[in-house]
Amino acid sequence: MAAEAETASTEPLLKTPFHARHVAAGARMVPFAGYDMPVQYPAGIMAEHNWTRESAGLFDVSHMGQAFLVGPDHETTARALEALIPADIVNLPPGKQRYSQLLNEEGGILDDLMVTRSADPDEDGALLLVVNAACKTQDYAHIEARLPANVKLVKAEHRGLIALQGPKAEEALAALNPEAAEMGFMTLRTMKLGGVKANVSRSGYTGEDGYEISAAADRIGEIWDALLLDARVKPIGLGARDSLRLEAGLCLYGHDIDTTTSPVEAALNWSIQKRRREEGGFPGAARIQREFAEKPARVRVGLLPEGRAPAREGAEIATADGTIVGKVTSGGFGPTLNGPCAMGYVAREHSAPGTRLDLIVRGKPLPATIAAMPFVPNRYKR
Amino acid sequence: MAETRYTKDHEYIRIEGDTGTVGITDYAQGQLGDVVFVELPSVGKALTKGGEAAVVESVKAASEVYAPVSGEVVAVNSELEAAPGTVNEDPAGKGWFVKLKLTDAAELEGLLSEAEYQDYVKTL
């Protein structure tokens, strides 16, 4: 039997503030983006996935990059960031969060990120950025090289980040602070959780209602421990995080989006607000405006294979006559769907939901249908 | 009496007369995690030692299962189509993949005994 090799590296692996807790809980640790991270706990990916869908899963996402962009006022900081991303940040209200992408000059995606405006009037001019672990060094260099003199990037490397996701996340977090229940989707509040000051946003990466909680690295373990005392909460590894986000139709950087894909090709049009579409003024605006007007030549779609065999990343997508029209960028088995699902890029003329295509798996065509995403309905708290 | 031999790739073959039942070990199913799909060869296919006998898909990844010895496929465990999780629950029993009619029994000599395999797993 031969399994896929884990990514090997000679660099020593970094550890999050929760490393010892993962090991003590019996997690299987794997190298991920330079960190030694839990891929699964003893319950296994299927059980962890299902637990998150039914109750509340607790994820260590401290490997992700957290940084503050700090300028003299919101307008100045927002304009500096808008020069790098296509989202409308100038009109982002205090305490609100938006998903966007750092773009290169060709409109390709350097990384995707969450941008949150501080809710605190004393912090007017501060934006919190959360970027991908594997991209953070390049992202920070890219951003810093393009900031005006009065806006600074302040890396928050002394902070940890956890995600609490699932239908019982609200009850579990509200047990530590009732304010959590009052929050709307994509909002941020600063609150005390068991004596620890935390920045809490109502967001996540599983399609479920939930929260992301950022706090000082030397205190965030107390929040983790307090949440795990709740019978509704169990720790969940990166394996289930991947199957959850795939069912939710969410992009994984380096797989579903990269420097060659634009946000329009990636079907992330919703993340580019009207003002920015019209005004442009972000890297690659000419390409992206053209793609909005004319539609892109290829587009990210959902794919549902017939039967139970999963199609993985890299599988080619073909028409019935064998013409290759695209490639799978993420694929696997969806425990909630109880079947395989995938996403990938196809030529636009083959992208309509219901279109039947073949996925080439181990040399054989596997019939599949283009399907609307998410594969499992989102349950965000609007 | 049936004798079971093992490969360092974590396949087993349980020999009864001139046929052998092939599956993966308990250690292997533990490493794979939840099995969600098994692709089996067709009956009558000739397998060569070290060649692909089956493919096991877990939630996370696809893994090949190699034939421990050469032989012709005389039966496949079609129950795994509906219940692939049997590979996790009972890998040495109901979770078998294929039965082979051996073409060269001498190939068994190169495989590990139960005790040798258990010692090998301890080193991993």
Side-chain angles (χ1 to χ4, degrees):
Chain A
M1 196 188 81
E4 273 177 22
E6 304 287 357
T7 48
S9 169
T10 52
E11 295 288 309
L13 292 172
L14 300 169
K15 292 175 179 176
T16 74
F18 303 99
H19 189 271
R21 285 175 171 83
H22 300 318
V23 172
R28 182 183 299 172
M29 306 298 287
V30 299
F32 184 83
Y35 286 79
D36 195 32
M37 296 297 287
V39 66
Q40 63 172 83
Y41 294 84
I45 293 173
M46 196 89 90
E48 292 172 27
H49 178 113
N50 291 335
W51 184 265
T52 305
R53 289 265 184 256
E54 289 157 17
S55 190
L58 186 61
F59 303 74
D60 174 13
V61 285
S62 303
H63 58 307
M64 299 192 73
Q66 301 181 72
F68 293 93
L69 208 54
V70 183
D73 53 68
H74 176 69
E75 172 92 13
T76 306
T77 312
R79 295 265 178 217
L81 187 58
E82 283 194 1
L84 306 177
I85 69 170
D88 183 346
I89 304 300
V90 168
N91 295 310
L92 184 64
K96 287 283 284 179
Q97 189 168 43
R98 232 159 227 178
Y99 168 80
S100 191
Q101 309 86 30
L102 278 174
L103 298 176
N104 64 25
E105 289 305 318
E106 291 75 48
I109 303 172
L110 294 166
D111 195 7
D112 60 346
L113 75 169
M114 294 295 274
V115 181
T116 313
R117 182 177 175 183
S118 175
D120 184 346
D122 293 339
E123 291 178 4
D124 182 52
L127 294 169
L128 170 62
L129 311 181
V130 179
V131 303
N132 280 299
C135 305
K136 61 186 172 185
T137 307
Q138 305 95 287
D139 289 353
Y140 294 158
H142 175 85
I143 294 167
E144 282 181 324
R146 289 160 181 81
L147 290 178
N150 58 352
V151 179
K152 297 275 179 268
L153 183 81
V154 182
K155 293 167 211 166
E157 281 161 349
H158 57 292
R159 296 184 77 82
L161 188 67
I162 57 184
L164 181 67
Q165 302 279 296
K168 295 184 182 169
E170 181 184 277
E171 292 167 34
L173 196 59
L176 298 185
N177 189 326
E179 269 194 57
E182 299 164 13
M183 296 175 63
F185 184 55
M186 299 291 270
T187 66
L188 174 96
R189 280 199 198 190
T190 300
M191 65 177 75
K192 288 260 187 169
L193 295 173
V196 181
K197 189 183 164 196
N199 286 332
V200 178
S201 67
R202 194 153 198 169
S203 60
Y205 190 53
T206 60
E208 296 295 323
D209 179 29
Y211 303 85
E212 292 199 342
I213 301 159
S214 167
D218 60 350
R219 300 292 306 275
I220 195 164
E222 296 168 42
I223 301 174
W224 177 274
D225 293 342
L227 286 168
L228 283 181
L229 287 176
D230 192 312
R232 292 170 286 220
V233 180
K234 286 185 180 175
I236 309 297
L238 293 181
R241 187 169 166 85
D242 192 50
S243 55
L244 289 159
R245 71 92 199 165
L246 176 61
E247 285 185 339
L250 298 168
C251 293
L252 176 61
Y253 190 78
H255 300 262
D256 310 299
I257 48 176
D258 60 29
T259 55
T260 69
T261 51
S262 79
V264 182
E265 290 176 326
L268 300 171
N269 303 18
W270 55 270
S271 70
I272 307 181
Q273 287 74 28
K274 188 162 172 275
R275 178 178 71 83
R276 301 304 312 278
R277 293 185 197 194
E278 289 169 358
E279 292 176 9
F282 48 85
R287 169 187 177 183
I288 287 166
Q289 288 173 322
R290 186 178 68 245
E291 288 177 351
F292 268 119
E294 300 170 8
K295 304 251 171 67
R298 59 170 184 167
V299 66
R300 181 174 64 98
V301 294
L303 293 152
L304 286 175
E306 281 178 18
R308 287 182 68 84
R312 310 278 178 184
E313 179 178 0
E316 289 185 309
I317 306 170
T319 55
D321 66 4
T323 309
I324 304 298
V325 294
K327 198 175 254 192
V328 169
T329 51
S330 279
F333 189 86
T336 306
L337 269 181
N338 192 27
C341 58
M343 58 174 92
Y345 285 82
V346 295
R348 182 161 45 88
E349 57 268 33
H350 303 289
S351 65
T355 305
R356 295 177 70 82
L357 293 167
D358 288 329
L359 309 180
I360 311 301
V361 175
R362 293 185 282 278
K364 285 173 277 188
L366 178 70
T369 305
I370 304 270
M373 289 188 285
F375 300 111
V376 171
N378 293 331
R379 291 198 283 189
Y380 304 134
K381 188 97 169 188
R382 298 287 177 185
Chain B
M1 200 194 97
E3 186 194 3
T4 306
R5 294 289 188 124
Y6 298 84
T7 71
K8 286 193 171 181
D9 293 321
H10 310 289
E11 292 96 7
Y12 68 80
I13 181 163
R14 191 168 59 248
I15 308 297
E16 286 154 292
D18 63 351
T19 62
T21 304
V22 176
I24 61 169
T25 66
D26 187 58
Y27 173 86
Q29 72 77 20
Q31 290 292 307
L32 278 176
D34 306 296
V35 172
V36 295
F37 178 75
V38 180
E39 185 178 292
L40 297 168
S42 43
V43 171
K45 187 176 178 185
L47 301 182
T48 44
K49 179 182 164 78
E52 183 186 301
V55 178
V56 194
E57 302 254 11
S58 69
V59 177
K60 205 168 149 16
S63 306
E64 291 179 337
V65 176
Y66 303 122
V69 296
S70 305
E72 183 194 328
V73 177
V74 292
V76 299
N77 187 359
S78 51
E79 310 249 316
L80 296 180
E81 283 170 25
T86 308
V87 175
N88 295 113
E89 291 151 19
D90 190 12
K94 289 179 182 161
W96 63 277
F97 293 168
V98 297
K99 290 186 193 289
L100 293 180
K101 183 157 193 253
L102 308 191
T103 46
D104 182 4
E107 288 177 345
L108 292 168
E109 296 304 316
L111 301 178
L112 304 177
S113 68
E114 170 85 35
E116 285 167 339
Y117 177 72
Q118 294 306 338
D119 286 345
Y120 169 66
V121 165
K122 281 181 202 145
T123 68
L124 300 178

